[in-house]
């Protein structure tokens, strides 16, 4: 066996599993819905979340759906697929004869470059960047767990989930005893302070504020929040069983995961959603104490969304004919989801923030909901056009060029993308 093995070429369309790309392509809509809420810098905040006080029935409907079904539910799904993709990349490279040491080095380089991508994403556009969080989690969990036994992955995933459940239970038990006076009447942590850069009229000052806040997001969401590490570990385990490549062999598991995950996620999202729209009368600090239960149920919901979309993909593939234009466009977006994710910030930050055109000052929750949907549709159309032209996403191409060491005679790196760097570089997705 050669000590240096060339990286495999691009994965052909016929080799890619439908489920991961379809999931990424569709769930980027939820990423847009969750992120654009933060751009409502001129609207008065309710205190418990970053959503402003609803100004009517349409605002109420948009906020209720977003808090219940979107907030803290989409990023665990992408974390699960991120871990899943790391195993897929390693499996394909090792099957081609690449040594374990070289594969591990490739994964480290990709995660390091994700952190770099995340830094510049935050510097130029968006302080809520997730690339740094996924890259950091990928580095640490890859070092600690990537080569461990399946049972170890499940046990530690369960331990992290149980720790979240313990913190959530503590929050709920303490809720009736929270005295507003403890916070000095300030209503708890001022969430709007973390988005102050969006309302800053100076581009330079806003950039410095984003960069200062970005490490907290990367460490907090990538490691301390626990949902991302747990989802990645479950993704490792699922990829070793090829659950998304071969959904027909795992229908019972997928059905249970979809039903339980989405049900727990949506029911668990109700308390904070009802608080946001004023049905439950909680103070801002009490509302913020619902964050950990919301995050815990978001982990279940994220995995449930993956399972649900895998079942949809299985049904589509079982028809025995080519997918329609909608599915084709969503899959094209999933293949280029890193580029699509970054494009969302390009289409939002300079247009909505006060340091840019500042159009968000004239928007409310429901109009921002429509704007986010429009941004997502633009990225879907662009990805579909690139698919028809046979072009990769620019961010995916750059990440691969930076990550792969190409000895003499090596072929180009594989295709694929993802908000955290999709690793679908194997014989199936």
């Amino acid at each position: 066996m050669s000590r240096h093995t060339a990286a495999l070429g691009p994965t052909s369309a016929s080799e890619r599993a439908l489920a991961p790309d379809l999931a990424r392509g569709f769930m980027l809509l939820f990423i847009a819905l969750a992120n654009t809420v933060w751009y409502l810098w001129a609207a008065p905040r309710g205190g418990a979340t970053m959503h402003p006080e609803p100004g009517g029935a349409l605002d109420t409907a948009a906020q209720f759906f977003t808090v219940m079904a979107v907030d803290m539910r989409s990023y665990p799904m992408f974390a699960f697929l991120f871990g899943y993709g790391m195993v897929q990349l390693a499996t394909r490279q090792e099957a081609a004869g690449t040594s374990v040491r070289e594969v591990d080095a490739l994964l480290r380089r990709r995660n390091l470059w994700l952190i770099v991508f995340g830094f510049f994403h935050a510097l130029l556009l968006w302080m809520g960047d997730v690339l740094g969080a996924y890259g950091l989690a990928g580095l640490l969990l890859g070092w600690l767990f990537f080569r461990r036994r399946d049972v170890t992955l499940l046990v530690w995933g369960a331990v992290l989930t149980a720790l979240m459940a313990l913190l959530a239970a503590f929050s709920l038990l303490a809720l009736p005893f929270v005295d507003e006076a403890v916070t000095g009447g300030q209503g708890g942590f001022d969430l709007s302070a973390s988005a102050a850069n969006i309302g800053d009229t100076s581009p330079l000052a806003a950039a410095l504020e984003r960069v200062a806040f970005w490490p907290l997001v990367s460490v907090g969401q990538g490691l301390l929040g626990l949902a991302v590490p747990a989802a990645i570990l479950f993704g490792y385990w699922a990829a070793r069983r090829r659950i998304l490549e071969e959904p027909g062999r795992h229908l019972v598991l997928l059905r249970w995961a979809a039903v339980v995950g989405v049900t727990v996620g949506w029911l668990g999202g109700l308390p904070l959603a009802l608080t946001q729209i004023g049905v439950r009368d909680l103070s801002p600090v009490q509302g913020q104490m619902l964050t950990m239960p919301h995050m815990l149920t978001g982990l279940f919901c994220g995995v449930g969304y993956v399972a649900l979309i895998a079942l949809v993909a299985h049904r589509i593939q079982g028809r025995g004919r080519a997918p329609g234009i909608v599915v084709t466009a969503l899959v094209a977006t999933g293949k280029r989801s890193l580029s699509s994710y970054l494009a969302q910030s390009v289409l939002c930050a300079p247009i909505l923030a006060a340091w840019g055109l500042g159009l968000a000052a004239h928007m409310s929750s429901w109009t921002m909901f429509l704007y986010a949907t429009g941004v997502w549709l633009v990225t879907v159309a662009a990805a579909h056009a690139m698919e028809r032209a046979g072009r990769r996403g620019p961010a995916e191409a750059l990440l691969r060029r930076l990550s792969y060491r190409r000895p003499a005679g090596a072929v180009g790196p594989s295709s694929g993308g993802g908000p955290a760097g999709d690793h679908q570089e194997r014989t199936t997705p």
Side-chain angles (χ1 to χ4, degrees):
M1 181 184 300
S2 161
R3 186 174 182 272
H4 293 287
T5 305
L8 294 180
T11 306
S12 70
S14 62
E15 292 178 320
R16 295 180 70 99
L18 182 62
D21 289 329
L22 184 60
R24 291 185 182 94
F26 177 77
M27 292 299 291
L28 277 165
L29 169 61
F30 280 20
I31 292 290
L33 293 174
N35 287 348
T36 50
V37 169
W38 293 73
Y39 285 103
L40 292 168
W41 51 273
R45 306 288 180 180
T49 71
M50 278 303 297
H51 294 267
E53 297 177 1
L58 292 177
D59 278 353
T60 298
Q63 291 183 13
F64 180 81
F65 174 79
T66 304
V67 175
M68 181 186 70
V70 177
D71 289 350
M72 297 188 184
R73 275 119 181 85
S74 50
Y75 74 81
M77 189 218 75
F78 279 103
F80 178 93
L81 291 175
F82 175 68
Y84 198 101
M86 288 179 66
V87 174
Q88 292 175 321
L89 182 150
T91 300
R92 184 170 187 247
Q93 293 294 322
E94 291 170 19
T98 307
S99 70
V100 169
R101 182 176 180 180
E102 288 174 306
V103 170
D104 289 346
L106 170 61
L107 291 174
R108 285 195 300 271
R109 288 195 301 272
R110 287 176 65 95
N111 287 322
L112 285 169
W113 278 115
L114 277 179
I115 296 174
V116 174
F117 275 43
F119 171 80
F120 283 101
H121 185 207
L123 174 66
L124 299 175
L125 296 168
W126 175 235
M127 87 290 178
D129 163 77
V130 299
L131 302 181
Y134 289 172
L136 182 61
L139 282 175
L140 182 60
L141 295 176
W143 173 54
L144 292 174
F145 295 106
F146 192 72
R147 301 291 176 180
R148 303 291 290 273
R149 297 181 303 164
D150 289 357
V151 66
T152 303
L153 301 178
L154 289 178
V155 167
W156 277 99
V159 167
L160 294 178
T161 305
L163 182 56
M164 293 177 65
L166 183 63
L167 294 173
F170 177 80
S171 297
L172 293 176
L173 291 173
L175 192 63
F177 306 102
V178 173
D179 184 359
E180 189 70 19
V182 173
T183 64
Q186 299 300 313
F189 176 70
D190 185 5
L191 294 173
S192 61
S194 58
N197 68 91
I198 295 174
D200 200 317
T201 57
S202 167
L204 178 59
L208 294 177
E209 291 171 13
R210 288 194 300 270
V211 170
F213 185 69
W214 174 74
L216 301 178
V217 175
S218 297
V219 176
Q221 190 174 62
L223 299 177
L224 301 182
L226 302 181
V228 166
I232 289 176
L233 292 178
F234 292 136
Y236 287 170
W237 177 86
R240 293 180 182 181
R241 279 154 178 75
R242 299 175 57 84
I243 289 174
L244 298 184
E245 294 95 328
E246 302 170 356
R249 296 180 53 192
H250 306 279
L251 291 178
V252 173
L253 175 61
L254 288 171
R255 287 167 182 157
W256 273 102
V259 171
V260 173
V262 176
T263 300
V264 170
W266 285 22
L267 289 178
L270 278 177
L272 194 56
L274 294 174
T275 300
Q276 172 59 37
I277 64 175
V279 174
R280 295 189 67 193
D281 186 18
L282 296 180
S283 68
V285 67
Q286 287 176 317
Q288 289 173 20
M289 291 185 68
L290 296 174
T291 299
M292 183 54 72
H294 200 72
M295 188 182 302
L296 169 66
T297 56
L299 173 60
F300 282 85
C301 198
V303 175
Y305 284 155
V306 174
L308 179 60
I309 295 175
L311 291 170
V312 172
H314 174 67
R315 184 161 186 171
I316 292 172
Q317 290 179 311
R319 294 174 181 172
R321 59 178 184 269
I325 186 172
V326 173
V327 173
T328 301
L330 290 177
V331 169
T333 308
K335 292 179 182 179
R336 298 161 181 83
S337 50
L338 175 56
S339 296
S340 298
Y341 169 69
L342 295 174
Q344 289 185 4
S345 295
V346 173
L347 294 172
C348 287
I351 297 173
L352 301 176
W355 54 264
L357 298 179
L359 295 187
H362 310 289
M363 301 174 73
S364 64
S365 292
W366 76 270
T367 54
M368 186 63 79
F369 190 100
L370 293 180
Y371 185 87
T373 303
V375 165
W376 173 72
L377 289 174
V378 169
T379 63
V380 170
H384 184 53
M386 284 189 282
E387 180 76 8
R388 296 189 64 179
R391 298 178 58 184
R392 304 178 193 165
E396 286 78 12
L398 178 60
L399 178 61
R400 279 151 183 76
R401 183 173 300 176
L402 294 170
S403 299
Y404 280 77
R405 292 176 179 172
R406 300 176 61 185
V411 296
S414 303
S415 63
D422 172 11
H423 302 276
Q424 290 195 54
E425 303 182 51
R426 343 143 248 86
T427 54
T428 39

